[in-house]
Amino acid sequence: MRRGKTFIISGPSGVGKSTVLHALFADWNDLYFSVSATTRAPRVGEVDGKDYHFIAAEQFRAMIEKDAFLEYAEYVGNFYGTPKKYVDEAMEAGRDVILDIEIQGATQVCEKRPETVRIFIAPPSWEELERRLTARGTDTPEKVQKRLLRAKVEMETAGNYDYFVINDTVENAVSELRAIMCAEHCKPNERMNQIMNQQ
Amino acid sequence: MRRGKTFIISGPSGVGKSTVLHALFADWNDLYFSVSATTRAPRVGEVDGKDYHFIAAEQFRAMIEKDAFLEYAEYVGNFYGTPKKYVDEAMEAGRDVILDIEIQGATQVCEKRPETVRIFIAPPSWEELERRLTARGTDTPEKVQKRLLRAKVEMETAGNYDYFVINDTVENAVSELRAIMCAEHCKPNERMNQIMNQQ
């Protein structure tokens, strides 16, 4: 059985990443969505093991020391991280793994595992991103401009990503994601082993 | 409009490359199949500009001197080559180009244009390739063994190809080819220009 691969998916605020990921998982059972561990308390309605793996701070620190995270970070006093365990189990079972993380986390993962594939979800244009951010109605015009500026900086920082998927429509974005995942399984290393071992 | 890309498709005798390419072109109008130029005489039924561009030896030599080929070779006294002109016109018109050439030709193309994507069509197993070669009924068992050995050598030589597509079924092979072509258009260089220029 072919081993799974890990794909990191990042993208700026407002680009529609959650909608795209939701559509991707609706179509495809062979994927594992990596659930982060966190030391923050569960909010009402959040389910342990589904929204997050809720763990105590001592346990989180012990895991850091055991190098049990692919990446982790502290954010307003709480820790968040990607446990290696579930990712590895899914890949061993032949499932591709999706990590929904930011650029800094992606850099940490790729330092440990350079074979990880990084995909950045980009807007079709800056105008369209501005329109989407404004349409959400949650931010002031000044906040929208700040997010827009941040998106541009993020996109330049993501220049070393492997792929850019443009979210013009959810359907196109999902189809590009699936194409990338399929193509990555056609890389020589994986295929040579597969064929050469069948003498 | 997005510019086309060039994809080289190689594969050993008996792997079913022509069938796969035929199915690919049946599905997809956006592709240009590069027609080679040759100095050999047309055979009965061959159409100029479709099967080959039939040209005189002096013209072929003049084109070599003008660096008008992506690759060329001599084979039993005749020249065969890939004219740059049609490939470039197709890419400018936004069409992806398929070059059906051998590994040596692929090396020449990539020396001139390292951005060219190389795909090797591989059999699902050596046993299956042997079965297919035998089923054609055109070769003696000794010839089949020679072809099989050559296929193994070719495959090792193709280790620097970008992708290996396994022709287990034509449908799977075509779907992998399409995925690769789609994924290659998601590479950062192309996409960064596309998005950054829309400030």
Side-chain angles (χ1 to χ4, degrees):
Chain A
M1 188 184 53
R2 89 176 186 186
R3 197 179 140 83
K5 282 182 175 276
T6 301
F7 297 85
I8 289 170
I9 305 205
S10 310
S13 174
V15 81
K17 188 176 58 169
S18 319
T19 314
V20 168
L21 287 178
H22 194 82
L24 180 71
F25 277 85
D27 273 11
W28 222 1
N29 288 324
D30 254 16
L31 289 178
Y32 170 70
F33 185 83
S34 162
V35 177
S36 299
T38 183
T39 58
R40 84 153 161 75
R43 292 180 192 141
V44 176
E46 282 185 340
V47 178
D48 184 41
K50 187 175 169 248
D51 297 294
Y52 286 97
H53 298 287
F54 295 100
I55 64 179
E58 312 86 80
Q59 195 186 341
F60 204 103
R61 274 191 290 268
M63 284 175 72
I64 293 175
E65 273 171 37
K66 273 188 242 159
D67 192 28
F69 289 110
L70 282 179
E71 55 84 36
Y72 69 92
E74 198 182 345
Y75 180 68
V76 288
N78 293 304
F79 282 95
Y80 296 81
T82 303
K84 283 181 182 172
K85 184 174 180 284
Y86 309 107
V87 169
D88 290 343
E89 283 171 1
M91 288 200 299
E92 284 304 323
R95 298 168 82 188
D96 286 331
V97 174
I98 301 288
L99 302 188
D100 174 4
I101 56 178
E102 309 257 331
I103 297 177
Q104 281 179 313
T107 306
Q108 284 186 51
V109 176
C110 289
E111 273 163 15
K112 295 194 189 207
R113 300 187 173 175
E115 72 278 15
T116 310
V117 179
R118 281 176 287 183
I119 305 170
F120 192 84
I121 312 272
S125 68
W126 298 118
E127 278 171 12
E128 174 59 18
L129 184 61
E130 186 172 8
R131 203 193 58 72
R132 288 182 196 174
L133 286 165
T134 308
R136 299 199 302 191
T138 49
D139 296 323
T140 61
E142 292 72 35
K143 193 78 191 278
V144 165
Q145 289 310 313
K146 269 192 190 166
R147 287 198 194 275
L148 207 54
L149 187 64
R150 200 184 152 193
K152 288 183 189 183
V153 172
E154 270 183 24
M155 178 129 159
E156 286 181 40
T157 316
N160 57 355
Y161 267 51
D162 301 292
Y163 299 98
F164 281 72
V165 160
I166 295 183
N167 185 21
D168 47 357
T169 69
V170 173
E171 196 186 10
N172 285 347
V174 167
S175 130
E176 288 191 352
L177 282 177
R178 294 181 69 148
I180 290 165
M181 298 173 79
C182 175
E184 281 291 327
H185 279 287
C186 300
K187 288 289 176 80
N189 280 355
E190 180 171 337
R191 284 286 158 91
M192 287 294 243
N193 289 335
Q194 207 172 329
I195 304 159
M196 285 303 191
N197 293 336
Q198 301 182 313
Q199 312 272 348
Chain B
M1 190 183 55
R2 89 175 187 188
R3 198 180 139 83
K5 281 182 175 275
T6 300
F7 297 86
I8 289 171
I9 305 205
S10 310
S13 174
V15 81
K17 187 176 57 168
S18 319
T19 314
V20 169
L21 287 179
H22 193 81
L24 180 72
F25 277 85
D27 274 11
W28 222 2
N29 287 324
D30 255 17
L31 288 177
Y32 170 71
F33 185 83
S34 163
V35 176
S36 299
T38 183
T39 59
R40 85 153 161 74
R43 292 179 191 141
V44 175
E46 283 185 338
V47 178
D48 184 39
K50 187 173 168 250
D51 297 295
Y52 285 98
H53 299 287
F54 295 101
I55 63 179
E58 312 88 77
Q59 194 186 340
F60 204 103
R61 274 191 290 269
M63 284 175 72
I64 293 175
E65 273 172 36
K66 274 188 242 158
D67 192 28
F69 289 111
L70 281 180
E71 56 83 36
Y72 69 91
E74 198 183 346
Y75 180 68
V76 288
N78 293 303
F79 281 94
Y80 296 81
T82 303
K84 283 181 181 170
K85 185 174 179 283
Y86 309 107
V87 169
D88 290 343
E89 283 170 1
M91 287 201 298
E92 284 304 323
R95 296 168 82 187
D96 286 330
V97 174
I98 302 288
L99 301 187
D100 173 4
I101 56 178
E102 308 257 333
I103 298 176
Q104 281 179 313
T107 306
Q108 284 185 53
V109 176
C110 289
E111 272 162 15
K112 295 193 190 210
R113 300 186 174 177
E115 72 278 15
T116 309
V117 179
R118 283 177 285 184
I119 305 169
F120 192 84
I121 312 271
S125 68
W126 299 118
E127 277 172 11
E128 174 59 18
L129 184 61
E130 186 172 6
R131 203 193 59 70
R132 288 181 195 176
L133 286 166
T134 307
R136 300 199 302 192
T138 50
D139 296 322
T140 61
E142 292 72 32
K143 193 78 192 277
V144 165
Q145 289 309 314
K146 270 193 189 165
R147 287 198 193 275
L148 206 55
L149 188 63
R150 199 183 153 194
K152 288 183 190 183
V153 172
E154 269 183 23
M155 178 128 159
E156 285 181 42
T157 316
N160 56 354
Y161 268 50
D162 300 292
Y163 299 98
F164 281 73
V165 160
I166 294 182
N167 186 21
D168 47 357
T169 69
V170 173
E171 196 186 12
N172 285 348
V174 168
S175 131
E176 288 190 352
L177 282 177
R178 295 182 69 149
I180 290 165
M181 299 173 80
C182 175
E184 281 291 325
H185 280 288
C186 300
K187 287 289 175 82
N189 280 355
E190 179 171 339
R191 284 287 159 91
M192 286 295 243
N193 290 334
Q194 207 171 330
I195 302 159
M196 285 305 192
N197 293 336
Q198 302 182 313
Q199 311 274 346

